[in-house]
Each structure stands twice: as C-alpha cells, then as structure tokens.
Amino acid sequence: MRKPVIAGNWKLFKSIAESIALVDGLKPLVEKNRDVEIVVAPVFTALNRVSEALKGSNINLAAQDCFWEEEGAFTGEVAPKLLKDAGCSHVIIGHSERRQYFGETDATVNKKAKAAISAGLTAIVCVGETLEERESGRTFSVIETQIQGSLDGIPAETLANVIIAYEPVWAIGTGKTASDDQAQEVHSFIRGLLSRLSGVTAAENVRILYGGSVKPDNVKGLMGQSDIDGALVGGASLKADSFAAIVNFNA
Ligand code: PGA
C-alpha cells in the first residue's frame, strides 16, 4: 500500500565533501532496502554533486526549500525546475524552522507546494504545533489550519505528489519524541481531515511522516502505528550508521 519514506533533513550542516562522504558511507548500508523510499536533503550548494554521487543508488535527493516562481528578478531564490535540474526528486516545504525564522506562512507554503508539484517534484509539506499550542489544547485546530492553508487548491489527483510531515515543534532537536500514541493520534486526525478535504482514496494513499527526535531506538515503535508512514529525521540523519539504522527499521 503506502511505501514508507525515510527522509534525512541535513539542515545547515556539511560541506560538499562532507555531504559526499556521508552518502558514500550510507549507500552500502541501505542498498538492499527496496521497501523504503529513502531521501536525503543536503544544503543547496551540495545538491548537484550529491546527485552525481547518488546515481544508480536507491537514494533520492531533496532540497530543503524552494521558491514559487520559475525565474525572474528574485535575488537569492531557487526555482523548483532548477532543483529538478540539479537532480532533486523531492523538496521539503514549510519546515517549522522556516516558519519560525524566515516568515514562512501557510500561504507561501501553498504557493511553493503547487510550484514544486508542477515542476514534477514531490513536495514534503511540514506541519506541527508548538508546545504552547499543545498545552493550551489547540493541537488539532493548529494542524487543521496548516493543512487546509498549505494544501489549498491542490486537487485530489495531485495529492499523490505530496507527502505530509507532522513535526511537533517541541520534539524537534530536543530529544523529546512524541510518544507513539501522541504521534498516531495526530496522524490519524490528519488522514481524517484529508479524507474530508480530498476524498477517502486520496487520503488513504498519502504518506504522512513523523518528525522530531526520531532515532534508531524509537523508529520501530513509531513505524508500528497504522497512520505513520515514515520519518523526517534531522540530527540522526547526519551520520551514516544512525540514518541507515532508521532506514532499515524493519530489518
Ligand atoms: P530532529 O529534526 O530529528 O533533529 O529532531 C527533525 C526535523 O527538523 O526535521
């Protein structure tokens, strides 16, 4: 049914040489795994060289952000078709760090997701509540607003090119993972919401990843939940052995 996705978000870490060394270390550790869609997301400057290093492997390449226009006077931006040109098949959009530090909103996430899909990329759209939102009982309403706004106008047929990443902000980089039940509760809420917005079939086919302090020792429990279809991994994706252990969670 839904092929699991394990994606490594390298954030602002690693030079070109370090990025290539990491994928060279990773390739032999995951080469036999045909059951998981494996994705790595290096910094922009390393994308093209990493894409060459990944040729012939079972690892896909993602960027960590994109712009929504194809070209023009937009200093500093990168268009989805140029990410494709650099060898990407996926792009992460609306990560909470971008929402928190760079003014990303559901409206910009929506424009970026649509542009990414039109360029032939799979958009990994991130949502998640802060600790304050969770503690004040607003988790579901926050997630609902983010999903509705981020996916607005994306037709059900196109949802096949979207992966959702649920990343509670309080669990990112803190070592504090959501429990299996806490994560499953929100994943199931998201699938229910997608089913109301886009129909049961589209909702059943969308992969929903969990992110936030995923490690080799907690991935199995999370992946055992019926609506958790994979993981978006930060810290533990920066080393070949720990990322491979997460990718091979079923081995
Ligand atoms: P983390 O990051 O695994 O280091 O918590 C996850 C993410 O930000 O995608």
Side-chain angles (χ1 to χ4, degrees), residues 164-176:
I164 307 284
Y166 166 59
E167 301 203 296
V169 177
W170 48 272
I172 294 178
T174 57
K176 232 165 98 180

Side-chain angles (χ1 to χ4, degrees), residues 133-144:
E133 288 162 345
R134 174 164 283 263
E135 287 180 341
S136 59
R138 286 184 291 142
T139 299
F140 291 148
S141 69
V142 166
I143 299 295
E144 179 158 355

Side-chain angles (χ1 to χ4, degrees), residues 19 50 53 68 70 82 96 107 118 132 135 146 193 217 224 230 233 236:
S19 300
V50 170
W68 55 79
E70 281 198 14
L82 299 183
S96 66
S118 326
E132 194 245 311
E135 287 180 341
Q146 289 178 340
L193 176 62
D217 63 0
V233 186

